[in-house]
Amino acid sequence: MRGERLIGLDIARTAALVSMVAYHFTYDLDLFGLIPQNTAVTGFFWWHARATAGSFIFLAGLSLWLAHGAGIRWPAFWKRFAKITAAAALVSVATYFALPGLTVFYGILHSIAISSLIALAVLRLPAVLTLALAAATFALPLVFRDPAFDGALVWTGRGTVPPVTADFLPLFPWIAPMLAGVAAGRLMSRFALWPRLALVPTRLARALAWPGRHTLAIYLIHQPLMIGAFNLWFWLAA
């Protein structure tokens, strides 16, 4: 299936993107004081944020296998890695100025970039071993934390003091859905399931798939647009 667009996979990305935009809308309502404080980071919305991030990273792992499972295409990988890394750096710079004290230094794009690089090492492993590694990396910060991982190593997720930031998806446990996605991709290849995602390209299917084909661009622009809209609304209402 290499080189082909799978409409079903793009629609799955669209669904994850819609869920992320919905969460960020709630986050912005919280940020601007339009709903009770901390609504976006507690209860249902806490779980919503993590389920959404996990789905994005899982789909990234699935896509990594789809693109490189039959053999790593290094030029294509480095090109994609550079785009994600540049986008992650842009998010860090933008949040440094727009959200003082909440700079994103290891958010979802940083996590996807680093986890994708590490996940290349497991592409040749049997799916069951990759799933076991996913379970182990998920459990690691639950069973082992140490103050030595605070400060400069806080991005590993094994520290004891959570950093103050608007988005934090540390290496552990968030590499787990990446590895799970790689394992799922391998299983889909083994059982010839990829063609099931090649849906009939009807007008509706193409429309639903379009956002999923431009996930990175939409991710980068949706928050500035929404925050700008809120600021404009407050300015007009003043």
Side-chain angles (χ1 to χ4, degrees):
M1 302 302 294
R2 179 185 287 181
E4 298 180 22
R5 295 298 313 193
L6 297 176
I7 291 180
L9 185 56
D10 284 330
I11 291 175
R13 294 190 185 102
T14 295
L17 187 61
V18 169
S19 182
M20 177 169 286
V21 172
Y23 174 74
H24 283 161
F25 181 72
T26 304
Y27 185 91
D28 293 344
L29 290 174
D30 193 334
L31 185 67
F32 282 90
L34 298 174
I35 57 176
Q37 189 176 16
N38 294 327
T39 295
V41 294
T42 56
F44 166 80
F45 292 104
W46 188 90
W47 289 105
H48 178 202
R50 277 143 188 79
T52 300
S55 68
F56 260 110
I57 298 173
F58 175 85
L59 289 171
L62 201 64
S63 299
L64 185 71
W65 169 264
L66 181 63
H68 306 288
I72 301 174
R73 298 178 299 143
W74 289 109
F77 175 81
W78 289 123
K79 180 179 179 181
R80 181 64 175 168
F81 181 81
K83 287 174 62 176
I84 296 174
T85 302
L90 180 62
V91 169
S92 294
V93 172
T95 54
Y96 176 82
F97 291 103
L99 299 173
L102 295 174
T103 302
V104 175
F105 63 89
Y106 204 89
I108 189 167
L109 294 180
H110 307 72
S111 184
I112 288 175
I114 299 302
S115 295
S116 295
L117 188 61
I118 295 172
L120 291 178
V122 308
L123 288 179
R124 304 269 64 84
L125 292 181
V128 65
L129 289 182
T130 306
L131 287 172
L133 282 173
T137 56
F138 181 83
L140 182 60
L142 299 177
V143 299
F144 176 74
R145 291 180 180 271
D146 191 276
F149 291 92
D150 294 330
L153 294 177
V154 70
W155 61 273
T156 64
R158 296 168 65 187
T160 58
V161 181
V164 179
T165 174
D167 185 28
F168 184 54
L169 299 178
L171 181 63
F172 302 106
W174 288 99
I175 194 174
M178 174 70 70
L179 298 178
V182 169
R186 188 177 186 88
L187 290 172
M188 290 180 70
S189 293
R190 179 180 178 183
F191 295 106
L193 297 178
W194 286 109
R196 297 194 177 189
L197 294 180
L199 304 180
V200 177
T202 63
R203 181 176 298 180
L204 176 61
R206 289 196 301 269
L208 292 174
W210 187 87
R213 295 181 178 182
H214 304 88
T215 303
L216 185 58
I218 294 173
Y219 176 82
L220 289 175
I221 67 174
H222 80 280
Q223 267 292 63
L225 288 176
M226 289 199 298
I227 290 177
F230 276 112
N231 279 316
L232 178 61
W233 187 81
F234 274 103
W235 180 74
L236 292 174

